Amino acid sequence: MLDAIRSDDNLYGEALAVALLVVPWLLAMYAMWRGLRRRRDRDRDRLGPLPTIAPPRRPADGEALYTGTTEGPEVIKRVAIEGLFGRGPCRYWIEPGGLVFQRARGPIVAATTVHAVRLAAAHAGRVLARGRVAVVGWSLGGADVDTGFGFDDAPYAAAFAAAVANAAGLAVPDGIGRDDKEMK
């Protein structure tokens, strides 16, 4: 279709061809940006501000792949508040009473109301091997949210889950390596 309006002597046709490709792309990007902004504002109003703290005065306990934060058992309904939306590397500190984590150049979030920890193969659309995603359930603004941390191997994910459960005062049951086994 674009070949019909393009020619070596037709600069107007060239500009029109470029516009037919670029304008829909720009409109789509604008619509996605606007939708994310509305969702972020809605989640911030509903869930309140992130519980952020100053960085701990010691090196991070480790690094993981932050898979996202979802609302409770909904594995796809992601929380869009700044610092929680998206996927990427993060570092974490296991503190008495909970977990502190920071995504790349994001705020340092204190998940001090941890109520459950489990192992899974997937979280928030990210699928890894069985038992390589540790999902930490905590409260944000009165709502239960789940945050996933992916690891390269299952034993390290199990050790992370056990350490978070111990720090939060939760019992670590036998069979921690079983998929979707919830610790209470």
Side-chain angles (χ1 to χ4, degrees):
M1 176 184 136
L2 295 179
D3 289 337
I5 59 174
R6 292 182 64 204
S7 73
D8 292 337
D9 298 329
N10 187 0
L11 185 59
Y12 177 74
E14 293 288 329
L16 181 62
V18 169
L20 286 174
L21 294 173
V22 172
V23 170
W25 181 81
L26 288 174
L27 289 174
M29 292 296 108
Y30 175 72
M32 289 183 352
W33 172 78
R34 212 173 124 181
L36 177 62
R37 191 169 149 213
R38 282 184 185 165
R39 192 167 153 201
R40 185 182 62 217
D41 292 344
R42 182 190 68 223
D43 283 354
R44 189 181 320 119
D45 291 344
R46 191 169 42 86
L47 299 173
L50 274 177
T52 59
I53 62 168
R57 295 180 182 251
R58 61 185 174 88
D61 292 330
E63 294 183 0
L65 171 68
Y66 174 82
T67 62
T69 299
T70 60
E71 292 190 37
E74 300 286 334
V75 294
I76 298 297
K77 191 173 182 184
R78 298 178 82 167
V79 175
I81 298 174
E82 300 91 347
L84 295 182
F85 191 75
R87 182 179 293 132
C90 79
R91 56 189 183 152
Y92 62 85
W93 297 265
I94 298 173
E95 298 282 327
L99 173 69
V100 175
F101 64 93
Q102 178 187 28
R103 291 192 48 232
R105 294 186 298 273
I108 299 172
V109 180
T112 56
T113 54
V114 175
H115 56 79
V117 181
R118 64 185 168 88
L119 293 176
H123 182 258
R126 178 68 177 179
V127 178
L128 298 173
R130 181 181 175 126
R132 285 184 35 200
V133 178
V135 180
V136 178
W138 56 290
S139 296
L140 175 62
D144 290 340
V145 295
D146 289 341
T147 300
F149 300 92
F151 295 93
D152 289 335
D153 60 349
Y156 198 79
F160 170 82
V164 171
N166 285 332
L170 303 172
V172 181
D174 294 334
I176 182 75
R178 280 188 233 141
D179 198 25
D180 294 331
K181 179 77 175 179
E182 191 165 327
M183 293 188 262
K184 290 189 178 180

